[in-house]
Structures are given as structure tokens and as C-alpha cells.
């Protein structure tokens, strides 16, 4: 792969990171075993398939131009064995033990001198299930691109990719990150046009920001640098039944479920619901079909989660109304547009402004709620069928909870990542998600499924 400058938003994620605030996202994929496929086979498959993804052989280095910038360079000393590790879990509930270890591993920042990713094979002590934990730096990919990269480990994707690449024989010439004179002139004209857009986006972000931060909840507790992971599974058909009865989208239903679960959890903790509803940042992909495959292409919507509303159907209506309003305004308005603003800023601003920007996250939102699309077909690794995939989003500075959802095999799998000290009862919140969907389903009128 040729040398390539980090896009502005990728550079922002690279500089936002600190030891207490690692900026990687990930996923915990759980598989059922099959006879004759052992840990050595699986570890070899993971290594071979990861090494075949060109992006995973790249690391980040600073560059002279633009000032403050960085670029992806091929790691000449790349050794996949530095990135793929096997861990044998202790006996007990496999998913609980895998989740506990995944939380500990998600605490650890990725080494900056190597390509910024890791994979862990989490193995049962006997013949039980196993899991693969994937960690990718946010500078490497957004959620959709992370799925495309991570999917390369599966049998179905690896075989299809292998067939495509085998036919490609003409080498691609390297592309310099230094612009030519005509390209530089065009870039200058583009920058002039971007100034107006940046001012408009910046104004919308400022208007969406909160200046009064006196209200404190568990979601905005001081960061400890620890991580805890919890998982939940929801029935995808139940989500669709609610959607058909109440209107809107499946994502609206899931956001309503998150709001209801937070309400249950906060009441059990004795927290007041009389203050402002927590604000969720709902990322929106700006990636276009056929567009650039690399880098982050994100914006987002800002949504008040109506935890103060006691009626489940009314909560869902409020969520649906809020999301309809967001979509009508477009993804360049509100706090989520800060990602678009980052695309307009020079590299030097990201290098020196990252600490300030990271500290300002609490002014914008309280919790991240993101949906990660997955392939609909059945997947496997070495013939071992994939049972579930729990996505994991990074925590912003000043926030204690991030919720990621994906649908696979008729189930919505939820990964909850939290500050370990602020939310020691994260498992209870995971249980509240299941309870909320069941309760919402009992309250809505029955609508027949389409034939």
C-alpha cells in the first residue's frame, strides 16, 4: 500500500488519545467449536488473514509537511506475531470470563511504534466455545470500515477477497503524500471554500454545547482509566414488531430501548430523573458507495434520551420525533457535526488542540450510542460458526458509557463499554435493556408480519 496522509479526522483521533483514554474501537466475536480445529489452527488462520489486509501492515509516522501532520507508512519490520495472541481463559461462564478479560484488554492503549491493532484468541480450557477480540485504533477506521477490515478473518470474506486479488497482477505505483503544483493550487481553492462551511458547522456545534455542567451523574463521573465490558442480546424480530406497530426505524426502537433501560437503571441507583435528559451522540456515516475505503467519514446526531418520561410508548415517540428532526436538519448540525468540523481544520490545530477538544466532549454529549452494520450471511472461522458479535466503541474523555449495537443471526448484540469504577453495576444496565424491550413489546398493538 502506498504512503498516505492521515485525513484530518483520523489525525484528530490519533492526537486525542492518552494513556487513560485509549482511542480504539473493537469487537468480541464468539464462535462455536467444531471437531478437529484447534487453537493452533485458529491462531494461524488469524495471523495469515490479518497479514493479508494491506491496511493492517501500516503504521503512523510524523511528516514534515503539512506541519503537524502524520502519514501511514508500510511497516518494513511487520511481524503479525506481535499482533495476534492466544489467551486461555479460566474455567467458568465463558462469556462472562471473556467479557471480563476483554474489558481489561480494552484498557490498554495500542503501541504507537507498530501498526495500531491487536487480535486476541480467547480460548476455553476445554472443548467449549472460543472468542476473538479485535482492537483497531479509531484513526485506522470508523465503525463501517472496521467491520470491513475485521471481516477479513472470516472464511467467507477471506476466500472471496483471495479470488479478487489473485486476478490483479498490475502493480499500483506509489502515491506521494507531497502535492504537485497544480494539486497544491486546487487544494488552496478548496480550502477557501471550506472556510465558509467550517464557520457554519462550528457555529452549530457551539449552539449545541452546554455551558452549565453542574449536573453530575454516573454517566459523567471522572475518568479512572479502567474499562468494564457487558453484553446483551435482543430479539431482532421483536424490534421489528415494535417498529411496525409504532412507525419509525429499527434504530429509533433501539434508541427508545436504551432510553428506557437507562431510566430503569438510574431509578435503581437512586439517581434523580428531574434534571436534563442525558444527551446521546448517534454517529452517522458519511461514507458514500464506491468512495474512499480508508479513513473516518463521520458526522452525528444529537438526541436527548427521554429518561424522565415514565411511559415506554411515549419515550419511543419522543425518540422518533427527535431523530426525524435531526434527519430533516441533516448531519451538519448539532454536536455530532464536530467530526465534520475536524475535517476542515489544519493538521497543526489537531496536534495542539486535541487536549482541549477532548476535554470539551462533556459539553456536547453524555453517552455514545452507535449502530454497527454487519454482513447478513452466516460467517465462520476455520469452519467454526460465528455465534455472536458484540461491538465496542471508545469512551470520550469525561464520559463513562458507550453503547454499540449490531444485528447478526436474528439477534441484536449489544456491547456496553464503561469506566470500570464509575459503573461497576454495568451488568445491571445490560439486563435492563432486555427488560425494556420485553416491556415495550407487551405495550404496543400487534401488527402482522409482512408475508
Amino acid at each position: 500500500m502506498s504512503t498516505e496522509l492521515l485525513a484530518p479526522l483520523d489525525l484528530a483521533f490519533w492526537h486525542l488519545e492518552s494513556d487513560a483514554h485509549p482511542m480504539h474501537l473493537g469487537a468480541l466475536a464468539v464462535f462455536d467449536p467444531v471437531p478437529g480445529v484447534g487453537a493452533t489452527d485458529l491462531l494461524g488462520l488469524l495471523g495469515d488473514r490479518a497479514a493479508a489486509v494491506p491496511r493492517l501492515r501500516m503504521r503512523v509516522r510524523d511528516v514534515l509537511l503539512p506541519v503537524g501532520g502524520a502519514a501511514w507508512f508500510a511497516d518494513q519490520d511487520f511481524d503479525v506475531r506481535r499482533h495476534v495472541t492466544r489467551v486461555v481463559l479460566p474455567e467458568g461462564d465463558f462469556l462472562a470470563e471473556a467479557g471480563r478479560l476483554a474489558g481489561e484488554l480494552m484498557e490498554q492503549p495500542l503501541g504507537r511504534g507498530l501498526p495500531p491493532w491487536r487480535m486476541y484468541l480467547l480460548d476455553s480450557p476445554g472443548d467449549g466455545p472460543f472468542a476473538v477480540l479485535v482492537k483497531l485504533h479509531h484513526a485506522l477506521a470508523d465503525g463501517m470500515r472496521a467491520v470491513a477490515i475485521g471481516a477479513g478473518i472470516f472464511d467467507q470474506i477471506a476466500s472471496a477477497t483471495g479470488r479478487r486479488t489473485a486476478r490483479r497482477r498490475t502493480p499500483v505505483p506509489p502515491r506521494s503524500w507531497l502535492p504537485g503544483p497544480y494539486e497544491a493550487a486546487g487544494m488552496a481553492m478548496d480550502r477557501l471554500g471550506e472556510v465558509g462551511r467550517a464557520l457554519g458547522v462550528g457555529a452549530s456545534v457551539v449552539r449545541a454545547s452546554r455551558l452549565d455542567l453542574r449536573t453530575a451523574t454516573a454517566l459523567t463521573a471522572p475518568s479512572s482509566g479502567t474499562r468494564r465490558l457487558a453484553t446483551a442480546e435482543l430479539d431482532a424480530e421483536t424490534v421489528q414488531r415494535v417498529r411496525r406497530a409504532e412507525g419509525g426505524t429499527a434504530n429509533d426502537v433501539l434508541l427508545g430501548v436504551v432510553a428506557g433501560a437507562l431510566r430503569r437503571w438510574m431509578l435503581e441507583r437512586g439517581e434523580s430523573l428531574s434534571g436534563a435528559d442525558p444527551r446521546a451522540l448517534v454517529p452517522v456515516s458519511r461514507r458514500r458507495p464506491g468512495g474512499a475505503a480508508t479513513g473516518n467519514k463521520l458526522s452525528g446526531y444529537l438526541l436527548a434520551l427521554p429518561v424522565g418520561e415514565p411511559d415506554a410508548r411515549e419515550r419511543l415517540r419522543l425518540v422518533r420525533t427527535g431523530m426525524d428532526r435531526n434527519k430533516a436538519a441533516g448531519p451538519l448540525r448539532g454536536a455530532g457535526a464536530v467530526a465534520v468540523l475536524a475535517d476542515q481544520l489544519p493538521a497543526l490545530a489537531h496536534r495542539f488542540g486535541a487536549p482541549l477538544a477532548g476535554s470539551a466532549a462533556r459539553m456536547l454529549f453524555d453517552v455514545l450510542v452507535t449502530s454497527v452494520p454487519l454482513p447478513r450471511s452466516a460467517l465462520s472461522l476455520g469452519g467454526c460458526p460465528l455465534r455472536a458479535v458484540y461491538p465496542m466503541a471508545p469512551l470520550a474523555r469525561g464520559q463513562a458509557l458507550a453503547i454499540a449495537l449490531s444485528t447478526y443471526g436474528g439477534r441484536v448484540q449489544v456491547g456496553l463499554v464503561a469506566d470500570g469504577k464509575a459503573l461497576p453495576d454495568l451488568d445491571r444496565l445490560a439486563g435492563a435493556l432486555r427488560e425494556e424491550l420485553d416491556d415495550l413489546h407487551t405495550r404496543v398493538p400487534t401488527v402482522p408480519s409482512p408475508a
Side-chain angles (χ1 to χ4, degrees):
M1 179 176 287
S2 58
T3 302
E4 175 191 335
L5 277 176
L6 267 73
L9 184 53
D10 302 342
L11 192 64
F13 287 134
W14 188 249
H15 290 310
L16 277 170
E17 184 171 64
S18 67
D19 287 344
H21 301 91
M23 288 301 298
H24 50 253
L25 41 82
L28 182 67
V30 181
F31 298 85
D32 290 319
V34 297
V37 180
T40 302
D41 305 313
L42 295 169
L43 204 62
L45 270 180
L46 286 174
D48 291 344
R49 291 175 179 176
V53 179
R55 173 62 67 178
L56 297 184
R57 303 175 70 93
M58 307 289 283
R59 69 184 186 92
V60 176
R61 282 170 41 190
D62 292 341
V63 295
L64 294 176
L65 292 174
V67 177
W72 294 103
F73 287 81
D75 185 359
Q76 301 301 323
D77 299 318
F78 177 77
D79 184 349
V80 75
R81 291 173 296 182
R82 297 174 178 173
H83 299 266
V84 181
T85 307
R86 180 193 179 200
V87 181
V88 179
L89 298 175
E91 293 185 0
D93 183 279
F94 174 78
L95 188 56
E97 289 296 334
R100 177 193 59 77
L101 180 58
E104 295 176 1
L105 293 172
M106 291 297 284
E107 291 179 11
Q108 304 169 12
L110 292 159
R112 293 206 157 208
L114 297 171
W117 65 275
R118 292 292 303 270
M119 287 186 188
Y120 300 88
L121 174 63
L122 309 183
D123 208 6
S124 297
D127 297 327
F130 67 92
V132 175
L133 173 65
V134 181
K135 289 170 54 176
L136 299 170
H137 199 285
H138 213 336
L140 186 67
D142 55 24
M144 289 185 67
R145 182 56 184 160
V147 169
I149 292 175
I153 70 171
F154 297 117
D155 300 333
Q156 294 78 5
I157 310 300
S159 60
T161 304
R163 287 194 296 270
R164 286 198 302 268
T165 55
R167 293 194 295 267
R168 182 173 153 180
R169 302 179 182 276
T170 304
V172 178
R175 175 185 171 189
S176 173
W177 49 267
L178 288 172
Y182 293 105
E183 185 180 359
M187 289 171 61
M189 294 299 294
D190 289 341
R191 294 301 296 175
L192 289 176
E194 289 167 358
V195 169
R197 290 193 294 273
L199 290 174
V201 172
S204 69
V205 171
V206 170
R207 287 194 298 269
S209 301
R210 298 169 298 185
L211 299 180
D212 185 358
L213 299 178
R214 288 174 295 180
T215 302
T217 68
L219 300 179
T220 57
S223 300
S224 68
T226 61
R227 293 291 180 270
R228 182 180 293 271
L229 172 68
T231 61
E233 287 202 15
L234 310 174
D235 181 62
E237 178 55 30
T238 300
V239 172
Q240 291 297 336
R241 290 194 194 104
V242 174
R243 178 195 63 78
R244 288 192 292 269
E246 298 294 297
T249 68
N251 197 49
D252 294 341
V253 176
L254 291 172
L255 287 168
V257 169
V258 168
L262 285 172
R263 173 184 170 83
R264 292 169 182 264
W265 176 73
M266 293 172 72
L267 285 173
E268 288 181 7
R269 292 173 124 248
E271 295 195 22
S272 172
L273 302 180
S274 61
D277 290 331
R279 302 170 106 186
L281 181 63
V282 184
V284 177
S285 175
R286 296 188 297 123
R287 193 175 298 283
R288 297 178 179 177
T294 59
N296 285 269
K297 299 291 182 183
L298 290 172
S299 183
Y301 294 137
L302 185 67
L303 178 70
L305 296 174
V307 300
E309 170 56 52
D311 183 79
R313 292 183 68 187
E314 179 62 13
R315 280 196 299 271
L316 178 54
R317 188 193 68 79
L318 291 171
V319 165
R320 189 174 66 249
T321 301
M323 288 301 289
D324 287 345
R325 188 183 304 116
N326 279 327
K327 293 170 187 175
L332 302 187
R333 295 292 181 266
V338 71
V340 182
L341 180 61
D343 270 337
Q344 315 296 326
L345 297 178
L348 199 60
H350 290 301
R351 183 176 291 273
F352 292 106
L356 179 62
S359 299
R362 191 187 162 195
M363 296 174 62
L364 301 173
F365 62 98
D366 302 304
V367 58
L368 177 73
V369 184
T370 182
S371 294
V372 182
L374 291 179
R376 294 186 178 182
S377 59
L379 300 172
S380 61
L381 174 64
C384 302
L386 176 67
R387 177 196 299 179
V389 180
Y390 302 97
M392 290 174 279
L395 286 183
R397 191 183 306 240
Q399 266 109 41
L401 176 66
I403 301 174
L405 310 98
S406 62
T407 302
Y408 176 79
R411 309 287 291 175
V412 179
Q413 280 112 26
V414 188
L416 301 96
V417 176
D419 184 284
K421 291 187 177 179
L423 275 68
D425 54 345
L426 188 63
D427 287 337
R428 180 64 203 111
L429 178 57
L433 288 165
R434 295 185 288 266
E435 294 168 6
E436 179 64 20
L437 178 60
D438 290 342
D439 183 56
L440 183 59
H441 185 226
T442 62
R443 294 172 184 270
V444 301
T446 301
V447 176
S449 300

